Amino acid sequence: MKPFMDKNFLLSNETAQKLYFDYAANTPILDYHCHINPQEIYEDRQFENITQVWLGGDHYKWRFIRSCGVDESYITGNASDKEKFMEIIRKSGPYEAEEGCLSLTGTRKAKRWQSIKVQYQNEKFQIRFKTFTGW
């Protein structure tokens, strides 16, 4: 019986296998739709952290994050790269706020929290925690 995920997984015919193994297999992976400046790709820029790669210059992600009610300081503002790339793991003290967004007309009600605890990775990929209160 043929293994499910052998070296030809997803290569359904001889042409696909020839194209992959003879041409594509040793080609570096390039993501032409990542919104990194093409000059930075050409120069093989070494980014300092995931925040610079993921958020730097990507106005589509900025617009989505804004629509989720995230404060601008955590998108393109002065918050540190570390603060821009955290995961909320605990929240308490819910309250209702009314907010607007430059990308959307009008305002909307939003649930916010008096205290949140976030988890993030530092520059050495070590997991860290921090609690924010008193908005």
Side-chain angles (χ1 to χ4, degrees):
M1 174 179 230
K2 179 182 172 189
F4 174 67
M5 291 186 71
D6 66 359
K7 69 177 189 157
N8 292 321
F9 181 67
L10 299 179
L11 303 174
S12 60
N13 58 46
E14 266 185 61
T15 302
Q17 293 167 15
K18 179 163 181 55
L19 287 172
Y20 177 75
F21 292 112
D22 291 354
Y23 300 98
N26 294 318
T27 303
I29 296 172
L30 301 173
D31 179 0
Y32 292 105
H33 195 79
C34 63
H35 299 158
I36 294 174
N37 182 324
Q39 183 70 29
E40 293 175 334
I41 294 172
Y42 172 76
E43 294 171 351
D44 195 23
R45 176 179 172 194
Q46 301 299 300
F47 293 89
E48 293 177 33
N49 56 53
I50 190 68
T51 304
Q52 292 178 5
V53 175
W54 198 74
L55 287 179
D58 194 335
H59 58 279
Y60 294 107
K61 287 187 185 106
W62 298 343
R63 182 171 38 186
F64 174 75
I65 297 168
R66 286 182 190 114
S67 74
C68 293
V70 174
D71 186 87
E72 190 66 27
S73 66
Y74 295 104
I75 305 168
T76 61
N78 293 329
S80 70
D81 285 349
K82 178 173 78 173
E83 292 171 316
K84 289 177 181 177
F85 213 79
M86 297 179 172
E87 176 186 1
I88 297 174
I89 58 171
R90 186 178 309 138
K91 44 196 173 185
S92 63
Y95 67 94
E96 189 174 279
E98 189 169 317
E99 300 176 346
C101 176
L102 294 175
S103 300
L104 304 170
T105 58
T107 60
R108 62 187 171 95
K109 293 184 190 276
K111 188 176 196 178
R112 294 291 172 248
W113 307 92
Q114 294 293 334
S115 175
I116 60 170
K117 183 175 184 178
V118 297
Q119 174 181 314
Y120 63 94
Q121 290 183 356
N122 67 13
E123 63 280 357
K124 295 179 181 176
F125 301 101
Q126 298 165 321
I127 294 177
R128 297 290 183 250
F129 300 91
K130 186 168 184 177
T131 300
F132 296 91
T133 59
W135 306 104

